[in-house]
Amino acid sequence: MDLGISGLNALVLGGSQGLGFACAKALSEEGVRVAINGRDPERGAEATRVLGDRAAFIAGDVSDPASRERIVRDARAALGPISILVTNAGGPPPGPLDTHEHETWLKALETNMLSAIHLTRLVLPDMLEAGFGRVVNVTSFTVREPYPNMGLATGVRAGLTGAMSALAREVADKGITVNNLLPGLMDTGALRRVYSAQARQQGITEDEAKTRMAASVPMRRLGLAEDFGPACAFLCSRHAGYITAQNLTVDGGLVRSLL
């Protein structure tokens, strides 16, 4: 199925690895020119090599407001106006809520909530001028069903969900959609940090912690990046033009809420 987005320009934050790269790859395969962001130039160079000549790498730290502005400037310089924005950043550390210091909360808010809001504000003029835009925020299944030791990540991502839900309705008549993509237990570096922490707390091996985690998913496996990218590309497509302010969970049936 042709998604109708070939030739458009996308900026994918945290796009040099993991779920961000899966989104960038799926978009690139649909003919989208993609600027991927990350902090590691070597990893970025390898990712752009895989994506091909329609891709550009832009180094930068999304937790820094000045860096965010430069990232958008460089993306426009490399590709042109931005029609698709995928926000994504590594999650804050897991652990019981009372173990996180105030500074840890502030860093998580800057990295996982305020960065996405700021970057969206920066690219909105391009989308408004074109009369078309897609914003997809990679958040977490814990926004729908809180998970032990993930209170910090849940709190900041729930705040982002609320802000983006309001924005979605503010721009809904402008040809712009704003949605959130909620990964479940995906076998990425971020999840490895979680089950490593569980292994230490429970006195078991990492493999045992990973196996227990996979067993909690109705599909009896952890998710893969390849399960995630196509869902992102669909939300960015013209076929998804009547879908906005939604939370699409990619979790193998893990979340048990009705809605």
Side-chain angles (χ1 to χ4, degrees):
M1 180 173 62
D2 182 2
L3 298 186
I5 52 178
S6 180
L8 297 182
N9 301 324
L11 172 59
V12 181
L13 286 309
S16 62
Q17 62 180 321
L19 299 182
F21 178 76
C23 291
K25 185 172 184 291
L27 289 168
S28 180
E29 289 171 351
E30 291 297 327
V32 177
R33 294 184 292 267
V34 180
I36 57 173
N37 154 257
R39 291 178 296 181
D40 184 336
E42 290 187 7
R43 185 171 284 157
E46 174 60 20
T48 53
R49 186 193 66 77
V50 174
L51 294 175
D53 57 9
R54 286 193 299 269
F57 174 69
I58 300 171
D61 184 352
V62 298
S63 69
D64 176 52
S67 181
R68 295 193 291 257
E69 294 184 358
R70 182 187 54 75
I71 289 167
V72 172
R73 286 197 304 270
D74 289 353
R76 287 196 181 107
L79 304 180
I82 304 301
S83 299
I84 296 169
L85 174 68
V86 180
T87 75
N88 174 52
L97 198 72
D98 61 354
T99 65
H100 298 304
E101 300 294 336
H102 183 65
E103 289 302 317
T104 305
W105 276 94
L106 292 179
K107 182 178 180 180
L109 284 166
E110 191 67 65
T111 303
N112 297 104
M113 178 182 172
L114 298 180
S115 66
I117 294 169
H118 186 194
L119 285 154
T120 301
R121 289 175 50 229
L122 291 171
V123 301
L124 266 177
D126 291 356
M127 298 178 180
L128 290 168
E129 183 174 348
F132 176 91
R134 298 287 185 264
V135 178
V136 176
N137 305 289
V138 179
T139 63
S140 170
F141 78 98
T142 63
V143 171
R144 279 194 156 151
E145 183 178 343
Y147 197 73
N149 297 312
M150 297 293 287
L152 176 56
T154 301
V156 296
R157 285 169 169 153
L160 175 62
T161 301
M164 290 295 175
S165 181
L167 173 65
R169 290 161 174 85
E170 293 165 3
V171 298
D173 62 342
K174 309 292 193 304
I176 301 169
T177 66
V178 183
N179 293 290
N180 306 307
L181 200 53
L182 285 57
L185 298 178
M186 314 296 289
D187 197 8
T188 63
L191 189 67
R192 284 191 285 276
R193 290 193 293 272
V194 175
Y195 61 69
S196 293
Q198 290 182 351
R200 291 192 298 272
Q201 292 165 2
Q202 298 170 17
I204 58 177
T205 68
E206 287 192 13
D207 283 344
E208 288 173 323
K210 179 180 178 179
T211 298
R212 290 182 186 181
M213 190 173 283
S216 71
V217 180
M219 287 191 178
R220 298 295 185 265
R221 68 175 178 88
L222 299 179
L224 303 173
E226 292 76 14
D227 297 317
F228 196 77
C232 182
F234 174 74
L235 286 178
C236 296
S237 75
R238 295 188 185 274
H239 301 294
Y242 204 58
I243 301 172
T244 198
Q246 300 303 307
N247 293 283
L248 176 60
T249 311
V250 183
D251 70 343
L254 178 66
V255 172
R256 291 168 174 79
S257 63
L258 284 176
L259 300 174

